[in-house]
Amino acid sequence: MIGYEGRLVFDTSKPDGTPRKLLDSRKLTALGWRPQIAFDDGLRGAYAAFLAERTEPANQSVWGGSTQP
């Protein structure tokens, strides 16, 4: 997605300090909820928004239009 070709190295003998967080959507699914955006599409959109925030003025929205009321 971002083109990184480097190597990641982890020291597995040490804890990473991040507790595991899980999401169980079975109850929502049972109520008829369905996601409107596929995971991969959402991740790409979030990354595009992150990159745009680094290069665009703060009052511009990646999804179109201004963020100002």
Side-chain angles (χ1 to χ4, degrees):
M1 181 176 298
I2 63 172
Y4 179 73
E5 296 181 13
R7 184 172 171 233
L8 297 177
V9 179
F10 298 96
D11 183 350
T12 58
S13 69
K14 298 179 178 156
D16 65 8
T18 305
R20 188 170 181 182
K21 298 175 180 139
L22 302 174
L23 175 66
D24 184 353
S25 60
R26 287 181 289 187
K27 289 182 180 180
L28 288 172
T29 302
L31 294 171
W33 178 84
R34 301 289 180 267
Q36 295 180 357
I37 300 172
F39 179 80
D40 289 349
D41 294 337
L43 186 58
R44 282 188 190 92
Y47 185 64
F50 167 76
L51 291 177
E53 281 292 318
R54 296 178 64 202
T55 59
E56 293 181 7
N59 67 343
Q60 296 297 312
S61 170
V62 174
W63 310 111
S66 173
T67 59
Q68 300 298 315

